[in-house]
Amino acid sequence: MARSNLDEIRVDISVSPRVNSFKPPKIRIISDQAKALMEAGVPVISLSAGEPDFDTPAAISEAGMNAIRDGFTRYTPHAGILELRQAICRKLEEENGIAYTPDQVVVSNGAKQSIVQAIHAVCSSGDEVIIPSPYWAAYLEMARMAEASPVIVPTSTANNFLLDPKLLESKLTERSRLLILCSPSNPTGSVYPKKLLEEIAQIVAKHPRLLVLSDEIYEHIIYAPATHTSFASLPGMWNRTLTVNGFSKAFAMTGWRVGYIAGPKHFVAACGKIQGLMTSGANSISQKAALAALGLGHAGGEVVSIMVKAFKERRDFMVKSFREMEGVKISEPQGAFFVFIDVSWYYGRQAEEFGVIEDSESFCRFLLDKAQVALVPGSAFGDDNCVRISYSSSLTTLQEAVKRIKESLVPLTTRPLVSSH
Ligand code: PMP
């Protein structure tokens, strides 16, 4: 039936100002272009993925399939099945030295949901959420969504992108409600040493309203001699810390969507309340798969250590390659599967048949154009001097990508600066 003009007029197509205020994720800018090129048959190498390139280990997938076969397909308790929450408590006690009971744990559809719920559960309008930069961009938008104000604390390549406790202290006010720490870090790969976390804890302790959300999702993807310290295990910090972890990264389970939060019951119960309204709980099948993941042994046992070994080999290759490259500054990434390199030396240089490279976004466009390699501009993570390179691809792919990057950058090294940026 034909629609009358009157129908059109009556529909108010506006959406809430809250939604309009969300910034589109910059992380997609280059990867969307790369995808379009690949679909057109261009042999682009994409190093922009935020997920492991491995398949979910067979024992985990099998547990998921068994859950379906056994008819384990109904709603579960909002906070997650008890046996999974018990297994999470055992893991946190044995691997992280933090004691929780199952009523202090909420399992969600991914750690992302755990984080957004935590921010909503503890922040009120006008509260400040302290976020070290470079950051995982979702933290910022999540804080805004909860009507809190993100307060950015910059870090630098020279300092391995680790928070300077004095600078942190200078940013804290009576409105500071939540400090978000991410170690090992996306996007930098930095790992916070225990001593630095202790210094941060001493500062946090001086601010009675301040809580800490410790995002430990990359915990197992860490390279010796670096070791992981859970913030909640530090003296006096248990009461103030919300520990977030999940299965996406270490167990190559991004699509299964399981993560969790653990913390003092009053906060975690508030997260559970939000979850009850939003999703009624995590997927039943994935919870059984997550239980099998925790059954693989300490830190994921042999299955996870094989993946971590491969990541380490690639990390070593990437660090060595970029250390040798002119105009590139690189930190000491000790975890996750990213290197975050400072390429600002190239800004202001004219590239043939391209124009002037102005910033991290045009640097990435240049590489996509000339090297057919897709990276993520650092501006997506609050640091325009840098770009993020994911090494969650095979070593052979990485070798080819590095070769192409080198070949496209070398001609630029003899080009004079044409603009200051
Ligand atoms: N924290 C960080 C730092 C991440 O990089 C991610 C995924 N990109 C998450 C949390 C969320 O992970 P998930 O929702 O897949 O569990």
Side-chain angles (χ1 to χ4, degrees), residues 110-112 115 136 139 182 186 215 217-218 248-249 257:
K112 197 171 203 176
I115 299 168
W136 184 48
Y139 298 143
C182 178
N186 174 11
D215 183 345
I217 189 130
Y218 291 95
S248 287
K249 313 293 173 171
R257 313 305 305 127

Side-chain angles (χ1 to χ4, degrees), residues 400-413:
E400 172 62 19
V402 166
K403 184 170 146 274
R404 291 192 199 175
I405 294 173
K406 244 186 201 161
E407 282 167 4
S408 355
L409 290 182
V410 164
L412 291 187
T413 57

